Amino acid sequence: MASVYDEKELRRFFVDKTEKPTMRVTGNEYKHLAEVLRARVGDKIILCPNDGRDYVYEAVAFDKSSVTLSYIDDYENDTEPRLNLSVFLSLLKGDKTEFAVQKLTELGVKKIFPFIGEYTVRNSEKSDRLRRAAHEASKQCGRAIIPEVFETIKFADVPHMLDGYDTVVFAYEGAYATGKRLGDVVRKNDKNIALIVGPEGGFSEAEVGIMTDNGYTSVTLGKRILRAETASVAGAAVIMQLAGEWE
Ligand code: SAM
């Protein structure tokens, strides 16, 4: 059932679980509600236990360390795409991986696999930082499910993780002359798609060879060379459109 509430007016929080008819919220979420957002008795909020549903509660009492919420209603959140889009993305310089995770979350990506390839400059990234970016972006964009951000893997492991995808988009800038276009590979009824985007320095010939040997052909994202963060975000957006998810 569609929401009867003005979603933009209601603050959204991810919680471990919801309880009926009332529940207490403590810790950081309490602080955020009471001190940052200055919520008051009578305010309505949405709680998301990451199950795809929105649970509407009303704040009924505050004390120094908790707020008591009273259950009103719950309904399916309709922002989740039907398509399971996973993005395998090289770690990037500075805060660009975080930026990409934020944008991919807004676009409805379900899983993000950071990896280290031959030309990846960074040798580590705090997965907590990336998960926080996905969490915050999910709240901001109205999702009821936070995309999963996995621990960083090696590029060599990527080809072994692609079973079960209907389509694999191995984005390679060298593919313009001979490679496939996104429109050739993404079909409207695809349910599981993987997009693979390399680091600032691109993929090495050996890495392209590994993908080809495993049966994954490279796909072009156009004539111009995009920065890695642009390639991941623009690639995900076009895939969503081609799969019929851009409404
Ligand atoms: N090797 C390149 C260089 O230094 O000139 C650039 C790599 S590009 C900045 C980073 C990643 O974005 C690539 O590994 C690829 O996955 C993706 N990418 C960028 N532009 C692309 C395009 N036109 N077609 C396909 N993939 C692209």
Side-chain angles (χ1 to χ4, degrees), residues 92 119 170-176 196-203 219-232:
L92 302 174
Y119 298 151
F170 173 49
Y172 176 50
E173 65 281 6
Y176 184 75
I196 306 169
V197 175
E200 289 87 349
F203 288 112
V219 177
T220 177
L221 298 179
K223 285 180 189 165
R224 290 171 296 281
I225 294 177
L226 308 174
R227 289 193 182 253
E229 65 276 20
T230 314
S232 61

Side-chain angles (χ1 to χ4, degrees), residues 18 20-21 25 53 62 67-68 82 89 107 115 132 140 158 164 173 178 184 187 190 194 201 238-239 247:
T18 54
K20 295 177 189 172
V25 172
R53 297 181 74 76
F62 284 84
V67 52
T68 304
R82 176 194 48 83
L89 172 68
L107 288 167
F115 70 79
R132 207 171 316 122
Q140 175 274 326
V158 172
E173 65 281 6
T178 55
D184 298 333
R187 287 154 305 207
D190 278 348
V238 176
I239 289 171
E247 294 173 352

Side-chain angles (χ1 to χ4, degrees), residues 159-211:
H160 311 298
M161 298 173 69
L162 299 173
D163 282 353
Y165 288 99
D166 306 311
T167 298
V168 173
V169 176
F170 173 49
Y172 176 50
E173 65 281 6
Y176 184 75
T178 55
K180 301 207 158 143
R181 270 72 182 137
L182 269 181
D184 298 333
V185 293
V186 177
R187 287 154 305 207
K188 202 156 189 170
N189 53 357
D190 278 348
K191 295 216 167 20
N192 297 293
I193 298 180
L195 167 65
I196 306 169
V197 175
E200 289 87 349
F203 288 112
S204 69
E205 274 182 33
E207 288 172 327
V208 176
I210 290 174
M211 290 302 287

Side-chain angles (χ1 to χ4, degrees), residues 7-8 19 33 56 72 82 91 115 120-121 124 136 162 184 190 208 221 228 240-241:
E7 300 274 346
K8 288 184 211 78
E19 290 164 33
L33 253 181
V56 183
I72 299 179
R82 176 194 48 83
L91 294 184
F115 70 79
T120 300
V121 174
S124 69
E136 289 306 320
L162 299 173
D184 298 333
D190 278 348
V208 176
L221 298 179
M240 286 288 180
Q241 160 70 9

